[in-house]
Amino acid sequence: MLAKSLSFILCAATLSLSLPSLADTAVEHYGQLAVKGNRIVDQKSQPVSLAGPSLFWSNTGWGADKYYNADVVNYIQEQWNAPIIRAAIGAGLNGGMLSHADENIAKAEAVVDAAINQGMYVILDWHAHHAEDHPQNAIAFFEHFARKYGEQPNIIYEIYNEPLADTDWHTVIKPYAQKLIGAIRAIDPDNLIIVGTQTWSQDVDKAADDPITGYSNIAYTLHFYAGTHKAELRKKAQYALDKGIALMVTEWGTVNANGDGAVDRASTEQWVAFMKRNQLSHANWALNDKKEGASMLKPRAAADGFWSDDDLTESGSFVKSIVKGWSEVDFSGDE
């Protein structure tokens, strides 16, 4: 009987060692992210693909900043099994960093602290369309966060959300990015930096033809909205990957590019297949209750994160199913 008991214990111990621990967080599991060729990889140099939501603009007075809190981050990790979240920190005036810097930094820190506590990755996004007009503000922002959190592997720096169509990659965006990267790398030598690309972060082909050199762990931003962007943009993205640069989809929507309209399920599924095939990490727009198609939450959804499925919009329900089923590893603690 004793021999049988010992045998059972040994078998159980062997089985438990062979299975991923449900107690592991995403950051414990994947560790320090890096860029290797055209892929973002984990601490074992294996390609990693993460899925989660993006918060809406953080600007004071816009209404979405109520979701910049630990309860919301905890909900997304525990209920959606999301290993990543994006904080879209408004960079301009009208409630953004240029007029309300301290308030927006506090909001960003609330999300970062909660993400670190949950073992999640967090994208710090300088959410701007004219970032080249105020590079010193962006540098000061990222220097602050690099000093405070740069030793944590959780942090991902997105230094320019969406340059416009007439903002040239070669003469404007790339020089801006080089300034920002130099400032960040002087403090944080290794966490991922994601560089926005021309035409609302769609012209990744231009970046691929003239990539940033001299720094490691640099990837480029690809944005799409499934109702508007179809095979032609995927062709651009595939070209960029084939040229050897790494991409991250830091913002995407199930609807039209204006953030509204009906959910385009067929196009979204094509994009999901593309991201799966190319092992791309992504964050869906947007975790907010604004009355528009892209919002995950219905109007007046509570700010505490204790939402039922009835609080989710059509897009929110669809995106939840995508995010929750994305990773083969369960970080939520569910059996």
mmCIF file of all heavy atoms in Angstrom, residues 18-69:
data_model
loop_
_atom_site.group_PDB
_atom_site.id
_atom_site.type_symbol
_atom_site.label_atom_id
_atom_site.label_comp_id
_atom_site.label_asym_id
_atom_site.label_seq_id
_atom_site.Cartn_x
_atom_site.Cartn_y
_atom_site.Cartn_z
ATOM 1 N N SER A 18 4.917 18.984 -15.617
ATOM 2 C CA SER A 18 4.807 19.021 -17.072
ATOM 3 C C SER A 18 3.761 20.001 -17.573
ATOM 4 O O SER A 18 3.706 20.312 -18.749
ATOM 5 C CB SER A 18 4.478 17.614 -17.602
ATOM 6 O OG SER A 18 3.174 17.234 -17.196
ATOM 7 N N LEU A 19 2.891 20.500 -16.671
ATOM 8 C CA LEU A 19 1.822 21.406 -17.064
ATOM 9 C C LEU A 19 2.171 22.839 -16.681
ATOM 10 O O LEU A 19 2.830 23.067 -15.662
ATOM 11 C CB LEU A 19 0.519 21.012 -16.355
ATOM 12 C CG LEU A 19 -0.079 19.660 -16.747
ATOM 13 C CD1 LEU A 19 -1.261 19.348 -15.840
ATOM 14 C CD2 LEU A 19 -0.491 19.632 -18.202
ATOM 15 N N PRO A 20 1.737 23.826 -17.487
ATOM 16 C CA PRO A 20 1.973 25.217 -17.095
ATOM 17 C C PRO A 20 1.189 25.551 -15.831
ATOM 18 O O PRO A 20 0.048 25.138 -15.662
ATOM 19 C CB PRO A 20 1.440 26.012 -18.294
ATOM 20 C CG PRO A 20 0.482 25.101 -18.967
ATOM 21 C CD PRO A 20 1.012 23.719 -18.748
ATOM 22 N N SER A 21 1.826 26.271 -14.946
ATOM 23 C CA SER A 21 1.156 26.625 -13.695
ATOM 24 C C SER A 21 0.130 27.713 -13.936
ATOM 25 O O SER A 21 0.420 28.726 -14.554
ATOM 26 C CB SER A 21 2.201 27.120 -12.685
ATOM 27 O OG SER A 21 1.570 27.673 -11.561
ATOM 28 N N LEU A 22 -1.076 27.498 -13.412
ATOM 29 C CA LEU A 22 -2.102 28.512 -13.540
ATOM 30 C C LEU A 22 -1.765 29.745 -12.704
ATOM 31 O O LEU A 22 -2.338 30.802 -12.910
ATOM 32 C CB LEU A 22 -3.456 27.939 -13.124
ATOM 33 C CG LEU A 22 -4.022 26.835 -14.014
ATOM 34 C CD1 LEU A 22 -5.351 26.340 -13.445
ATOM 35 C CD2 LEU A 22 -4.205 27.306 -15.435
ATOM 36 N N ALA A 23 -0.842 29.588 -11.763
ATOM 37 C CA ALA A 23 -0.451 30.721 -10.938
ATOM 38 C C ALA A 23 0.526 31.640 -11.659
ATOM 39 O O ALA A 23 0.728 32.775 -11.250
ATOM 40 C CB ALA A 23 0.172 30.229 -9.626
ATOM 41 N N ASP A 24 1.176 31.141 -12.713
ATOM 42 C CA ASP A 24 2.104 31.974 -13.469
ATOM 43 C C ASP A 24 1.365 33.140 -14.098
ATOM 44 O O ASP A 24 0.281 32.985 -14.658
ATOM 45 C CB ASP A 24 2.767 31.166 -14.588
ATOM 46 C CG ASP A 24 3.834 30.228 -14.086
ATOM 47 O OD1 ASP A 24 4.194 30.350 -12.896
ATOM 48 O OD2 ASP A 24 4.303 29.393 -14.865
ATOM 49 N N THR A 25 1.949 34.316 -14.039
ATOM 50 C CA THR A 25 1.416 35.450 -14.776
ATOM 51 C C THR A 25 2.046 35.477 -16.164
ATOM 52 O O THR A 25 3.005 34.750 -16.444
ATOM 53 C CB THR A 25 1.725 36.764 -14.053
ATOM 54 O OG1 THR A 25 3.147 36.995 -14.097
ATOM 55 C CG2 THR A 25 1.250 36.730 -12.604
ATOM 56 N N ALA A 26 1.531 36.338 -17.014
ATOM 57 C CA ALA A 26 2.084 36.443 -18.364
ATOM 58 C C ALA A 26 3.554 36.842 -18.332
ATOM 59 O O ALA A 26 4.380 36.288 -19.060
ATOM 60 C CB ALA A 26 1.271 37.456 -19.168
ATOM 61 N N VAL A 27 3.879 37.810 -17.477
ATOM 62 C CA VAL A 27 5.267 38.282 -17.432
ATOM 63 C C VAL A 27 6.179 37.224 -16.833
ATOM 64 O O VAL A 27 7.324 37.062 -17.268
ATOM 65 C CB VAL A 27 5.357 39.616 -16.671
ATOM 66 C CG1 VAL A 27 6.806 40.029 -16.438
ATOM 67 C CG2 VAL A 27 4.628 40.713 -17.456
ATOM 68 N N GLU A 28 5.692 36.470 -15.852
ATOM 69 C CA GLU A 28 6.487 35.356 -15.328
ATOM 70 C C GLU A 28 6.702 34.300 -16.408
ATOM 71 O O GLU A 28 7.779 33.708 -16.507
ATOM 72 C CB GLU A 28 5.782 34.737 -14.127
ATOM 73 C CG GLU A 28 5.825 35.581 -12.860
ATOM 74 C CD GLU A 28 4.935 35.046 -11.763
ATOM 75 O OE1 GLU A 28 4.010 34.262 -12.065
ATOM 76 O OE2 GLU A 28 5.159 35.435 -10.612
ATOM 77 N N HIS A 29 5.686 34.079 -17.209
ATOM 78 C CA HIS A 29 5.752 33.029 -18.221
ATOM 79 C C HIS A 29 6.648 33.418 -19.401
ATOM 80 O O HIS A 29 7.498 32.639 -19.823
ATOM 81 C CB HIS A 29 4.339 32.723 -18.723
ATOM 82 C CG HIS A 29 4.268 31.557 -19.659
ATOM 83 N ND1 HIS A 29 4.270 30.254 -19.211
ATOM 84 C CD2 HIS A 29 4.195 31.494 -21.010
ATOM 85 C CE1 HIS A 29 4.192 29.432 -20.248
ATOM 86 N NE2 HIS A 29 4.137 30.155 -21.352
ATOM 87 N N TYR A 30 6.464 34.646 -19.918
ATOM 88 C CA TYR A 30 7.194 35.065 -21.117
ATOM 89 C C TYR A 30 8.457 35.862 -20.813
ATOM 90 O O TYR A 30 9.398 35.874 -21.606
ATOM 91 C CB TYR A 30 6.288 35.901 -22.025
ATOM 92 C CG TYR A 30 5.105 35.150 -22.567
ATOM 93 C CD1 TYR A 30 3.801 35.537 -22.259
ATOM 94 C CD2 TYR A 30 5.278 34.030 -23.381
ATOM 95 C CE1 TYR A 30 2.702 34.844 -22.751
ATOM 96 C CE2 TYR A 30 4.177 33.330 -23.882
ATOM 97 C CZ TYR A 30 2.899 33.746 -23.560
ATOM 98 O OH TYR A 30 1.830 33.062 -24.051
ATOM 99 N N GLY A 31 8.469 36.576 -19.685
ATOM 100 C CA GLY A 31 9.655 37.323 -19.293
ATOM 101 C C GLY A 31 9.933 38.528 -20.166
ATOM 102 O O GLY A 31 9.024 39.150 -20.721
ATOM 103 N N GLN A 32 11.215 38.855 -20.301
ATOM 104 C CA GLN A 32 11.639 40.017 -21.059
ATOM 105 C C GLN A 32 11.373 39.817 -22.547
ATOM 106 O O GLN A 32 11.880 38.880 -23.161
ATOM 107 C CB GLN A 32 13.130 40.271 -20.846
ATOM 108 C CG GLN A 32 13.689 41.480 -21.578
ATOM 109 C CD GLN A 32 13.163 42.775 -20.986
ATOM 110 O OE1 GLN A 32 13.329 43.038 -19.798
ATOM 111 N NE2 GLN A 32 12.534 43.589 -21.804
ATOM 112 N N LEU A 33 10.573 40.691 -23.132
ATOM 113 C CA LEU A 33 10.298 40.623 -24.564
ATOM 114 C C LEU A 33 11.436 41.280 -25.343
ATOM 115 O O LEU A 33 12.114 42.182 -24.850
ATOM 116 C CB LEU A 33 8.976 41.311 -24.887
ATOM 117 C CG LEU A 33 7.735 40.769 -24.163
ATOM 118 C CD1 LEU A 33 6.498 41.556 -24.599
ATOM 119 C CD2 LEU A 33 7.542 39.277 -24.435
ATOM 120 N N ALA A 34 11.621 40.823 -26.557
ATOM 121 C CA ALA A 34 12.679 41.358 -27.413
ATOM 122 C C ALA A 34 12.248 41.220 -28.866
ATOM 123 O O ALA A 34 11.230 40.590 -29.179
ATOM 124 C CB ALA A 34 13.995 40.615 -27.167
ATOM 125 N N VAL A 35 13.015 41.809 -29.758
ATOM 126 C CA VAL A 35 12.786 41.664 -31.197
ATOM 127 C C VAL A 35 13.901 40.800 -31.776
ATOM 128 O O VAL A 35 15.088 41.068 -31.560
ATOM 129 C CB VAL A 35 12.750 43.031 -31.908
ATOM 130 C CG1 VAL A 35 12.696 42.845 -33.427
ATOM 131 C CG2 VAL A 35 11.540 43.830 -31.433
ATOM 132 N N LYS A 36 13.494 39.776 -32.480
ATOM 133 C CA LYS A 36 14.427 38.870 -33.143
ATOM 134 C C LYS A 36 13.963 38.698 -34.578
ATOM 135 O O LYS A 36 12.923 38.077 -34.815
ATOM 136 C CB LYS A 36 14.477 37.533 -32.413
ATOM 137 C CG LYS A 36 15.475 36.535 -32.986
ATOM 138 C CD LYS A 36 15.484 35.257 -32.159
ATOM 139 C CE LYS A 36 16.479 34.248 -32.710
ATOM 140 N NZ LYS A 36 16.467 32.989 -31.912
ATOM 141 N N GLY A 37 14.694 39.291 -35.510
ATOM 142 C CA GLY A 37 14.245 39.273 -36.896
ATOM 143 C C GLY A 37 12.950 40.046 -37.033
ATOM 144 O O GLY A 37 12.852 41.190 -36.591
ATOM 145 N N ASN A 38 11.936 39.418 -37.617
ATOM 146 C CA ASN A 38 10.645 40.092 -37.787
ATOM 147 C C ASN A 38 9.607 39.612 -36.772
ATOM 148 O O ASN A 38 8.408 39.708 -37.013
ATOM 149 C CB ASN A 38 10.126 39.893 -39.212
ATOM 150 C CG ASN A 38 9.754 38.449 -39.513
ATOM 151 O OD1 ASN A 38 10.024 37.545 -38.720
ATOM 152 N ND2 ASN A 38 9.146 38.215 -40.666
ATOM 153 N N ARG A 39 10.071 39.129 -35.640
ATOM 154 C CA ARG A 39 9.177 38.644 -34.603
ATOM 155 C C ARG A 39 9.506 39.277 -33.246
ATOM 156 O O ARG A 39 10.669 39.576 -32.954
ATOM 157 C CB ARG A 39 9.272 37.119 -34.459
ATOM 158 C CG ARG A 39 8.699 36.323 -35.645
ATOM 159 C CD ARG A 39 7.197 36.474 -35.737
ATOM 160 N NE ARG A 39 6.589 35.556 -36.675
ATOM 161 C CZ ARG A 39 6.318 35.834 -37.947
ATOM 162 N NH1 ARG A 39 6.646 37.026 -38.449
ATOM 163 N NH2 ARG A 39 5.733 34.944 -38.725
ATOM 164 N N ILE A 40 8.458 39.459 -32.438
ATOM 165 C CA ILE A 40 8.642 39.767 -31.028
ATOM 166 C C ILE A 40 8.706 38.432 -30.304
ATOM 167 O O ILE A 40 7.845 37.564 -30.498
ATOM 168 C CB ILE A 40 7.498 40.641 -30.501
ATOM 169 C CG1 ILE A 40 7.570 42.025 -31.164
ATOM 170 C CG2 ILE A 40 7.548 40.764 -28.985
ATOM 171 C CD1 ILE A 40 6.377 42.912 -30.891
ATOM 172 N N VAL A 41 9.750 38.256 -29.473
ATOM 173 C CA VAL A 41 10.000 36.958 -28.850
ATOM 174 C C VAL A 41 10.048 37.104 -27.335
ATOM 175 O O VAL A 41 10.192 38.204 -26.787
ATOM 176 C CB VAL A 41 11.320 36.340 -29.366
ATOM 177 C CG1 VAL A 41 11.263 36.144 -30.872
ATOM 178 C CG2 VAL A 41 12.529 37.207 -28.983
ATOM 179 N N ASP A 42 9.952 35.947 -26.653
ATOM 180 C CA ASP A 42 9.970 35.936 -25.200
ATOM 181 C C ASP A 42 11.377 35.675 -24.686
ATOM 182 O O ASP A 42 12.355 35.692 -25.436
ATOM 183 C CB ASP A 42 8.961 34.915 -24.669
ATOM 184 C CG ASP A 42 9.318 33.469 -25.032
ATOM 185 O OD1 ASP A 42 10.442 33.210 -25.519
ATOM 186 O OD2 ASP A 42 8.465 32.581 -24.818
ATOM 187 N N GLN A 43 11.480 35.403 -23.387
ATOM 188 C CA GLN A 43 12.788 35.220 -22.762
ATOM 189 C C GLN A 43 13.517 33.978 -23.264
ATOM 190 O O GLN A 43 14.730 33.842 -23.069
ATOM 191 C CB GLN A 43 12.624 35.136 -21.241
ATOM 192 C CG GLN A 43 11.738 34.001 -20.767
ATOM 193 C CD GLN A 43 11.396 34.101 -19.290
ATOM 194 O OE1 GLN A 43 12.042 34.825 -18.542
ATOM 195 N NE2 GLN A 43 10.362 33.379 -18.843
ATOM 196 N N LYS A 44 12.791 33.075 -23.921
ATOM 197 C CA LYS A 44 13.401 31.877 -24.497
ATOM 198 C C LYS A 44 13.626 32.020 -26.003
ATOM 199 O O LYS A 44 13.878 31.035 -26.689
ATOM 200 C CB LYS A 44 12.523 30.657 -24.209
ATOM 201 C CG LYS A 44 12.377 30.358 -22.729
ATOM 202 C CD LYS A 44 11.458 29.169 -22.490
ATOM 203 C CE LYS A 44 11.275 28.897 -21.002
ATOM 204 N NZ LYS A 44 10.333 27.770 -20.759
ATOM 205 N N SER A 45 13.474 33.265 -26.496
ATOM 206 C CA SER A 45 13.635 33.582 -27.928
ATOM 207 C C SER A 45 12.585 32.910 -28.800
ATOM 208 O O SER A 45 12.809 32.698 -29.995
ATOM 209 C CB SER A 45 15.050 33.225 -28.422
ATOM 210 O OG SER A 45 16.008 34.051 -27.784
ATOM 211 N N GLN A 46 11.432 32.590 -28.195
ATOM 212 C CA GLN A 46 10.325 32.020 -28.943
ATOM 213 C C GLN A 46 9.314 33.118 -29.283
ATOM 214 O O GLN A 46 9.022 33.965 -28.435
ATOM 215 C CB GLN A 46 9.637 30.926 -28.138
ATOM 216 C CG GLN A 46 10.518 29.729 -27.869
ATOM 217 C CD GLN A 46 11.025 29.067 -29.138
ATOM 218 O OE1 GLN A 46 10.236 28.724 -30.026
ATOM 219 N NE2 GLN A 46 12.332 28.915 -29.246
ATOM 220 N N PRO A 47 8.756 33.122 -30.507
ATOM 221 C CA PRO A 47 7.767 34.145 -30.862
ATOM 222 C C PRO A 47 6.595 34.152 -29.892
ATOM 223 O O PRO A 47 6.131 33.089 -29.451
ATOM 224 C CB PRO A 47 7.322 33.720 -32.267
ATOM 225 C CG PRO A 47 8.475 32.953 -32.810
ATOM 226 C CD PRO A 47 9.063 32.223 -31.630
ATOM 227 N N VAL A 48 6.160 35.340 -29.543
ATOM 228 C CA VAL A 48 5.050 35.478 -28.602
ATOM 229 C C VAL A 48 4.016 36.419 -29.197
ATOM 230 O O VAL A 48 4.360 37.420 -29.827
ATOM 231 C CB VAL A 48 5.537 35.990 -27.229
ATOM 232 C CG1 VAL A 48 6.209 37.336 -27.336
ATOM 233 C CG2 VAL A 48 4.394 36.055 -26.232
ATOM 234 N N SER A 49 2.750 36.068 -29.031
ATOM 235 C CA SER A 49 1.642 36.879 -29.535
ATOM 236 C C SER A 49 0.659 37.113 -28.393
ATOM 237 O O SER A 49 0.108 36.161 -27.837
ATOM 238 C CB SER A 49 0.948 36.161 -30.700
ATOM 239 O OG SER A 49 -0.158 36.889 -31.166
ATOM 240 N N LEU A 50 0.455 38.379 -28.046
ATOM 241 C CA LEU A 50 -0.366 38.774 -26.905
ATOM 242 C C LEU A 50 -1.599 39.519 -27.389
ATOM 243 O O LEU A 50 -1.521 40.286 -28.349
ATOM 244 C CB LEU A 50 0.432 39.668 -25.961
ATOM 245 C CG LEU A 50 1.814 39.165 -25.543
ATOM 246 C CD1 LEU A 50 2.570 40.266 -24.811
ATOM 247 C CD2 LEU A 50 1.696 37.913 -24.685
ATOM 248 N N ALA A 51 -2.712 39.332 -26.705
ATOM 249 C CA ALA A 51 -3.964 39.983 -27.102
ATOM 250 C C ALA A 51 -4.616 40.640 -25.895
ATOM 251 O O ALA A 51 -4.685 40.054 -24.816
ATOM 252 C CB ALA A 51 -4.929 38.966 -27.716
ATOM 253 N N GLY A 52 -5.116 41.859 -26.093
ATOM 254 C CA GLY A 52 -5.804 42.564 -25.025
ATOM 255 C C GLY A 52 -6.504 43.790 -25.565
ATOM 256 O O GLY A 52 -6.567 44.008 -26.780
ATOM 257 N N PRO A 53 -7.033 44.631 -24.683
ATOM 258 C CA PRO A 53 -7.724 45.838 -25.106
ATOM 259 C C PRO A 53 -6.849 47.081 -24.992
ATOM 260 O O PRO A 53 -5.865 47.101 -24.252
ATOM 261 C CB PRO A 53 -8.880 45.919 -24.110
ATOM 262 C CG PRO A 53 -8.253 45.417 -22.838
ATOM 263 C CD PRO A 53 -7.242 44.373 -23.237
ATOM 264 N N SER A 54 -7.267 48.110 -25.697
ATOM 265 C CA SER A 54 -6.708 49.443 -25.504
ATOM 266 C C SER A 54 -7.751 50.307 -24.813
ATOM 267 O O SER A 54 -8.920 50.325 -25.209
ATOM 268 C CB SER A 54 -6.338 50.081 -26.840
ATOM 269 O OG SER A 54 -5.955 51.447 -26.658
ATOM 270 N N LEU A 55 -7.334 51.020 -23.788
ATOM 271 C CA LEU A 55 -8.180 52.059 -23.224
ATOM 272 C C LEU A 55 -8.336 53.196 -24.224
ATOM 273 O O LEU A 55 -7.533 53.338 -25.160
ATOM 274 C CB LEU A 55 -7.565 52.578 -21.925
ATOM 275 C CG LEU A 55 -7.555 51.573 -20.763
ATOM 276 C CD1 LEU A 55 -6.495 51.929 -19.744
ATOM 277 C CD2 LEU A 55 -8.928 51.508 -20.108
ATOM 278 N N PHE A 56 -9.358 54.004 -24.046
ATOM 279 C CA PHE A 56 -9.625 55.173 -24.897
ATOM 280 C C PHE A 56 -8.720 56.323 -24.447
ATOM 281 O O PHE A 56 -7.993 56.222 -23.465
ATOM 282 C CB PHE A 56 -11.100 55.548 -24.757
ATOM 283 C CG PHE A 56 -11.646 56.476 -25.810
ATOM 284 C CD1 PHE A 56 -12.011 56.001 -27.062
ATOM 285 C CD2 PHE A 56 -11.821 57.824 -25.538
ATOM 286 C CE1 PHE A 56 -12.538 56.845 -28.021
ATOM 287 C CE2 PHE A 56 -12.349 58.683 -26.490
ATOM 288 C CZ PHE A 56 -12.702 58.196 -27.739
ATOM 289 N N TRP A 57 -8.749 57.433 -25.187
ATOM 290 C CA TRP A 57 -7.977 58.624 -24.827
ATOM 291 C C TRP A 57 -8.127 58.918 -23.319
ATOM 292 O O TRP A 57 -9.237 58.940 -22.787
ATOM 293 C CB TRP A 57 -8.463 59.839 -25.593
ATOM 294 C CG TRP A 57 -8.337 59.816 -27.078
ATOM 295 C CD1 TRP A 57 -9.121 59.120 -27.956
ATOM 296 C CD2 TRP A 57 -7.409 60.559 -27.882
ATOM 297 N NE1 TRP A 57 -8.739 59.375 -29.247
ATOM 298 C CE2 TRP A 57 -7.687 60.263 -29.235
ATOM 299 C CE3 TRP A 57 -6.375 61.450 -27.587
ATOM 300 C CZ2 TRP A 57 -6.963 60.821 -30.289
ATOM 301 C CZ3 TRP A 57 -5.660 62.010 -28.645
ATOM 302 C CH2 TRP A 57 -5.945 61.694 -29.972
ATOM 303 N N SER A 58 -7.026 59.240 -22.675
ATOM 304 C CA SER A 58 -7.025 59.515 -21.235
ATOM 305 C C SER A 58 -7.421 60.944 -20.889
ATOM 306 O O SER A 58 -7.532 61.284 -19.705
ATOM 307 C CB SER A 58 -5.624 59.264 -20.668
ATOM 308 O OG SER A 58 -4.703 60.239 -21.170
ATOM 309 N N ASN A 59 -7.636 61.790 -21.875
ATOM 310 C CA ASN A 59 -7.813 63.234 -21.649
ATOM 311 C C ASN A 59 -8.852 63.543 -20.570
ATOM 312 O O ASN A 59 -9.960 63.002 -20.576
ATOM 313 C CB ASN A 59 -8.245 63.921 -22.941
ATOM 314 C CG ASN A 59 -7.217 63.778 -24.038
ATOM 315 O OD1 ASN A 59 -6.782 62.678 -24.353
ATOM 316 N ND2 ASN A 59 -6.840 64.885 -24.649
ATOM 317 N N THR A 60 -8.486 64.451 -19.690
ATOM 318 C CA THR A 60 -9.395 64.927 -18.658
ATOM 319 C C THR A 60 -10.591 65.625 -19.290
ATOM 320 O O THR A 60 -10.434 66.455 -20.187
ATOM 321 C CB THR A 60 -8.661 65.910 -17.724
ATOM 322 O OG1 THR A 60 -7.580 65.214 -17.084
ATOM 323 C CG2 THR A 60 -9.602 66.472 -16.675
ATOM 324 N N GLY A 61 -11.787 65.248 -18.850
ATOM 325 C CA GLY A 61 -13.000 65.859 -19.362
ATOM 326 C C GLY A 61 -13.629 65.143 -20.533
ATOM 327 O O GLY A 61 -14.744 65.500 -20.940
ATOM 328 N N TRP A 62 -12.969 64.124 -21.061
ATOM 329 C CA TRP A 62 -13.515 63.394 -22.200
ATOM 330 C C TRP A 62 -14.384 62.214 -21.779
ATOM 331 O O TRP A 62 -15.072 61.633 -22.602
ATOM 332 C CB TRP A 62 -12.389 62.905 -23.112
ATOM 333 C CG TRP A 62 -11.709 64.003 -23.874
ATOM 334 C CD1 TRP A 62 -11.629 65.319 -23.530
ATOM 335 C CD2 TRP A 62 -10.994 63.875 -25.105
ATOM 336 N NE1 TRP A 62 -10.906 66.026 -24.462
ATOM 337 C CE2 TRP A 62 -10.501 65.160 -25.452
ATOM 338 C CE3 TRP A 62 -10.704 62.807 -25.950
ATOM 339 C CZ2 TRP A 62 -9.748 65.400 -26.597
ATOM 340 C CZ3 TRP A 62 -9.948 63.042 -27.090
ATOM 341 C CH2 TRP A 62 -9.488 64.325 -27.416
ATOM 342 N N GLY A 63 -14.290 61.816 -20.523
ATOM 343 C CA GLY A 63 -15.177 60.790 -20.001
ATOM 344 C C GLY A 63 -14.622 59.388 -19.947
ATOM 345 O O GLY A 63 -15.140 58.546 -19.207
ATOM 346 N N ALA A 64 -13.573 59.097 -20.733
ATOM 347 C CA ALA A 64 -13.046 57.729 -20.765
ATOM 348 C C ALA A 64 -12.016 57.470 -19.686
ATOM 349 O O ALA A 64 -11.685 56.305 -19.406
ATOM 350 C CB ALA A 64 -12.435 57.442 -22.135
ATOM 351 N N ASP A 65 -11.506 58.536 -19.072
ATOM 352 C CA ASP A 65 -10.441 58.359 -18.088
ATOM 353 C C ASP A 65 -10.934 57.690 -16.805
ATOM 354 O O ASP A 65 -10.128 57.249 -15.988
ATOM 355 C CB ASP A 65 -9.757 59.687 -17.773
ATOM 356 C CG ASP A 65 -10.712 60.786 -17.340
ATOM 357 O OD1 ASP A 65 -11.932 60.631 -17.532
ATOM 358 O OD2 ASP A 65 -10.238 61.810 -16.814
ATOM 359 N N LYS A 66 -12.235 57.588 -16.647
ATOM 360 C CA LYS A 66 -12.758 56.891 -15.455
ATOM 361 C C LYS A 66 -12.376 55.422 -15.444
ATOM 362 O O LYS A 66 -12.419 54.767 -14.390
ATOM 363 C CB LYS A 66 -14.278 57.034 -15.388
ATOM 364 C CG LYS A 66 -15.060 56.440 -16.556
ATOM 365 C CD LYS A 66 -16.551 56.659 -16.367
ATOM 366 C CE LYS A 66 -17.376 56.181 -17.570
ATOM 367 N NZ LYS A 66 -17.210 57.092 -18.735
ATOM 368 N N TYR A 67 -12.008 54.883 -16.594
ATOM 369 C CA TYR A 67 -11.619 53.484 -16.678
ATOM 370 C C TYR A 67 -10.128 53.254 -16.442
ATOM 371 O O TYR A 67 -9.658 52.109 -16.517
ATOM 372 C CB TYR A 67 -12.046 52.909 -18.033
ATOM 373 C CG TYR A 67 -13.541 52.935 -18.233
ATOM 374 C CD1 TYR A 67 -14.116 53.672 -19.263
ATOM 375 C CD2 TYR A 67 -14.384 52.238 -17.371
ATOM 376 C CE1 TYR A 67 -15.491 53.712 -19.434
ATOM 377 C CE2 TYR A 67 -15.768 52.260 -17.532
ATOM 378 C CZ TYR A 67 -16.309 53.005 -18.567
ATOM 379 O OH TYR A 67 -17.678 53.045 -18.729
ATOM 380 N N TYR A 68 -9.384 54.308 -16.174
ATOM 381 C CA TYR A 68 -7.956 54.187 -15.882
ATOM 382 C C TYR A 68 -7.778 53.867 -14.397
ATOM 383 O O TYR A 68 -7.346 54.703 -13.608
ATOM 384 C CB TYR A 68 -7.235 55.481 -16.253
ATOM 385 C CG TYR A 68 -6.897 55.580 -17.733
ATOM 386 C CD1 TYR A 68 -7.896 55.749 -18.688
ATOM 387 C CD2 TYR A 68 -5.587 55.501 -18.184
ATOM 388 C CE1 TYR A 68 -7.596 55.833 -20.041
ATOM 389 C CE2 TYR A 68 -5.269 55.584 -19.528
ATOM 390 C CZ TYR A 68 -6.278 55.735 -20.455
ATOM 391 O OH TYR A 68 -5.977 55.817 -21.803
ATOM 392 N N ASN A 69 -8.097 52.643 -14.017
ATOM 393 C CA ASN A 69 -7.991 52.261 -12.614
ATOM 394 C C ASN A 69 -7.691 50.776 -12.495
ATOM 395 O O ASN A 69 -7.827 50.002 -13.452
ATOM 396 C CB ASN A 69 -9.272 52.632 -11.856
ATOM 397 C CG ASN A 69 -10.489 51.867 -12.334
ATOM 398 O OD1 ASN A 69 -10.596 50.659 -12.131
ATOM 399 N ND2 ASN A 69 -11.424 52.564 -12.996
#
